[in-house]
Amino acid sequence: MDTAKLELAAQRYREAHEALDAARYDLQLAVVSALSSTEERGAQAQVARITGWTREQIRLLMKAAREQA
């Protein structure tokens, strides 16, 4: 067994997973910021289109953000 290749693959996976988590967190912050700073009609629908998230996911995210504040 080539453990060096396995270790490298495992490290790359961990780094990619961490990067994905960080990107998700950044996107969530951007969504909360964008929606908190506007009352524009259709803003949630526009965010849903851009992110690919459902409006329900966005509503839950905004609810969690309000509860934390």
Side-chain angles (χ1 to χ4, degrees):
M1 173 176 12
D2 187 350
T3 58
K5 282 185 179 181
L6 178 59
E7 288 176 10
L8 179 59
Q11 180 61 33
R12 285 183 26 231
Y13 173 82
R14 283 189 294 275
E15 289 170 358
H17 193 272
E18 289 169 6
L20 180 60
D21 285 345
R24 181 182 304 111
Y25 180 75
D26 290 347
L27 182 56
Q28 288 173 337
L29 286 179
V31 166
V32 169
S33 176
L35 291 178
S36 295
S37 66
T38 188
E39 293 190 23
E40 182 180 324
R41 182 175 164 91
Q44 272 193 359
Q46 186 175 11
V47 167
R49 181 185 56 76
I50 291 169
T51 62
W53 296 343
T54 66
R55 293 182 73 180
E56 180 62 19
Q57 288 172 305
I58 294 167
R59 280 192 287 274
L60 291 173
L61 175 63
M62 294 303 293
K63 180 180 176 186
R66 283 190 299 274
E67 290 172 356
Q68 281 186 342

